[in-house]
Amino acid sequence: MAVNKDMSILVVDDFNTMRRIVRSLLKQLGFNNVDEAVDGDDALSKISTKDYALVLSDWNMEPKSGIELLREVRQSDKYKSMPFILITAESKVENIVEAKKAGVNQYIVKPFNAKTLKEKLSTVIGDF
Amino acid sequence: MAKATPTPEVEAETTTPTKDTAPLATESAAGKPANLEPKLEKKELETLIESKLKMDHTLKGHTDNEGENQTLYATLAAKVAQEIVKELGNKDSQFLTELKNIVKSIDTAKDEISAIRPKELAEKDLPDAASSLDIIIQTSEEACSNILACGEELMEIAEFVPSKLNERLMDVSTKLFESSNFDDLNGQRIRKVIKVLHDLESRLKGLLSAYGESYESVSTKKSEDKKKTADEELLNGPQDTDEAASQDEIDAILNGF
């Protein structure tokens, strides 16, 4: 099944530069329907008002981190199967294990390139 | 804590003078300042009481003469007292030596710490360093933002050019976006360093506060000893943005000569 490139995507990062980078790379891949959130709480607020087909989130944010956001999303019946990718500088094994336990679909370590982003997106939403 | 709050049993024994303990107190009080007089441990008191009882028993068996009895008692009591004072004196001497060593170690530590100029470090160098790192984060973010804007503009231009050129422009913009990752990672690393600097600053300030004025004066003296050369005094750049003179201001100064 072809991937709908009009799908709504939420990019969550407390660092404006990173949100712009991810948004621009997504745009190059053909995804233009992208919203941004500055932390976990902001993301939850946006998720509760709009149906997102994918969340791309940083881990290290305050006050609500990416892993906390993921756990809350997975606890909700409505959003528990929502595709969720962490994009983070946290690359220790325990981080990856914890993210997997929390129900992450993919894990991208910073710094990353467009090729890696495309590959990980494909494994979550299908080839495009 | 246990010594500061003796058990009622021991306290009763030490604070209730009797005919038997009075000579002891007099002897020790004469030999030492009142505030340094060692306190007897419970076990030592029990031993003393036991000795005294044995002494009473012996004296009673040997003589019924009250005067002779008193003389013998006083002699023996004085001997016991001398032994105890001698023993406690040795303990005091050892304690004082250890105390002197501790004081010496503290003085050495203070000298070593003052050599690193803690007052200057805590109040100037560390805050300045943290401030410089903050500026690095800020200026780096601004530069990165400009690079991203260039990449975004290239993407927009690419839409209006032939496909071959479009592809090249998109590749260039992709490289710009990918390369801009550094800013986030460097920012995170620098923020960790800033946190360490703030922790260090806080600990040094705590140290200065604990040691008080005398420590500050030692520190100041050490920093005065380390005079900068004239050329070193001139090396203060790069300036903070709000402190730096603009090119126009510099031109005006130069033109003023």
Side-chain angles (χ1 to χ4, degrees):
Chain A
M1 199 173 90
V3 169
N4 174 17
K5 289 199 171 179
D6 287 329
M7 67 168 67
S8 297
I9 299 175
L10 183 63
V11 176
V12 191
D13 200 306
D14 57 349
F15 194 46
N16 179 44
T17 303
M18 274 317 296
R19 292 197 303 273
R20 278 177 75 181
I21 292 170
V22 176
R23 177 194 274 276
S24 297
L25 291 174
L26 286 171
K27 191 175 177 183
Q28 287 193 336
L29 295 171
F31 298 94
N32 290 301
N33 190 3
V34 178
D35 289 338
E36 296 179 14
V38 297
D39 62 41
D41 285 325
D42 189 23
L44 280 175
S45 167
K46 289 196 161 73
I47 288 168
S48 67
T49 56
K50 187 173 174 178
D51 287 333
Y52 288 99
L54 173 67
V55 174
L56 292 160
S57 175
D58 181 27
W59 180 313
N60 187 5
M61 297 178 292
E62 287 182 353
K64 184 163 281 169
S65 69
I67 193 79
E68 288 170 319
L69 168 65
L70 173 60
R71 288 192 193 111
E72 290 200 28
V73 163
R74 290 292 179 252
Q75 278 171 6
S76 157
D77 285 340
K78 192 175 174 187
Y79 309 115
K80 67 182 174 189
S81 57
M82 183 168 63
F84 198 111
I85 298 176
L86 275 169
I87 302 180
T88 175
E90 309 297 336
S91 57
K92 287 188 176 172
V93 175
E94 54 261 40
N95 289 100
I96 297 155
V97 169
E98 193 59 38
K100 190 64 192 167
K101 278 185 192 168
V104 78
N105 296 95
Q106 265 300 350
Y107 198 101
I108 300 174
V109 179
K110 294 176 184 174
F112 63 98
N113 56 32
K115 185 170 170 277
T116 305
L117 180 65
K118 187 174 188 295
E119 282 173 6
K120 302 305 174 192
L121 282 176
S122 296
T123 65
V124 174
I125 59 173
D127 287 331
F128 54 92
Chain B
M1 291 300 287
K3 282 188 179 178
T5 52
T7 61
E9 187 183 359
V10 175
E11 194 166 39
E13 286 170 357
T14 52
T15 55
T16 310
T18 64
K19 185 178 87 171
D20 305 327
T21 54
L24 257 181
T26 309
E27 186 80 26
S28 59
K32 297 177 186 308
N35 58 347
L36 286 179
E37 189 173 284
K39 292 204 170 177
L40 298 181
E41 296 291 338
K42 186 181 176 188
K43 198 170 177 187
E44 289 170 323
L45 282 170
E46 284 170 354
T47 310
L48 267 180
I49 290 163
E50 197 181 332
S51 303
K52 193 263 176 193
L53 289 172
K54 279 181 188 169
M55 196 190 308
D56 283 349
H57 178 75
T58 308
L59 287 170
K60 201 164 188 176
H62 278 79
T63 177
D64 288 331
N65 185 313
E66 187 64 22
E68 199 178 332
N69 197 347
Q70 285 294 331
T71 308
L72 268 171
Y73 167 77
T75 307
L76 283 168
K79 279 205 164 210
V80 171
Q82 276 173 2
E83 286 301 315
I84 290 169
V85 169
K86 190 177 163 189
E87 180 64 23
L88 290 175
N90 286 340
K91 281 183 183 170
D92 269 4
S93 171
Q94 191 183 346
F95 171 72
L96 281 172
T97 305
E98 284 173 8
L99 196 61
K100 278 177 189 169
N101 286 339
I102 290 168
V103 170
K104 199 176 168 187
S105 298
I106 291 171
D107 282 343
T108 306
K110 279 177 73 174
D111 284 347
E112 284 171 0
I113 293 167
S114 68
I116 61 167
R117 303 172 294 119
K119 188 172 167 63
E120 271 187 48
L121 271 176
E123 292 177 4
K124 187 173 183 307
D125 295 349
L126 289 175
D128 282 357
S131 173
S132 294
L133 291 176
D134 273 332
I135 291 166
I136 288 172
I137 290 176
Q138 195 183 325
T139 50
S140 171
E141 193 175 342
E142 283 168 13
C144 199
S145 177
N146 291 336
I147 293 168
L148 286 176
C150 291
E152 287 159 1
E153 200 171 335
L154 280 178
M155 275 172 66
E156 285 175 20
I157 294 168
E159 289 176 20
F160 303 101
V161 297
S163 62
K164 203 163 185 180
L165 189 54
N166 170 291
E167 207 172 295
R168 284 186 64 190
L169 288 176
M170 290 299 264
D171 281 350
V172 171
S173 61
T174 302
K175 280 176 187 161
L176 289 176
F177 297 139
E178 288 174 348
S179 302
S180 301
N181 264 309
F182 83 93
D183 192 33
D184 182 29
L185 299 179
N186 283 359
Q188 289 187 38
R189 290 188 183 109
I190 292 171
R191 280 188 193 94
K192 280 187 181 176
V193 176
I194 290 173
K195 188 174 178 299
V196 171
L197 291 176
H198 283 315
D199 285 349
L200 197 56
E201 181 188 330
S202 169
R203 282 166 194 268
L204 277 172
K205 280 180 177 168
L207 196 67
L208 286 167
S209 170
Y211 280 102
E213 290 297 320
S214 61
Y215 199 37
E216 287 182 26
S217 61
V218 172
S219 171
T220 307
K221 184 185 174 300
K222 294 272 180 184
S223 66
E224 281 168 359
D225 291 345
K226 187 178 173 279
K227 291 282 182 198
K228 285 182 179 176
T229 65
D231 278 350
E232 282 174 336
E233 291 283 359
L234 290 172
L235 295 174
N236 296 307
Q239 303 293 312
D240 291 355
T241 314
D242 54 346
E243 289 177 5
S246 68
Q247 187 59 53
D248 286 345
E249 287 169 329
I250 291 166
D251 291 344
I253 294 166
L254 281 176
N255 290 335
F257 282 99

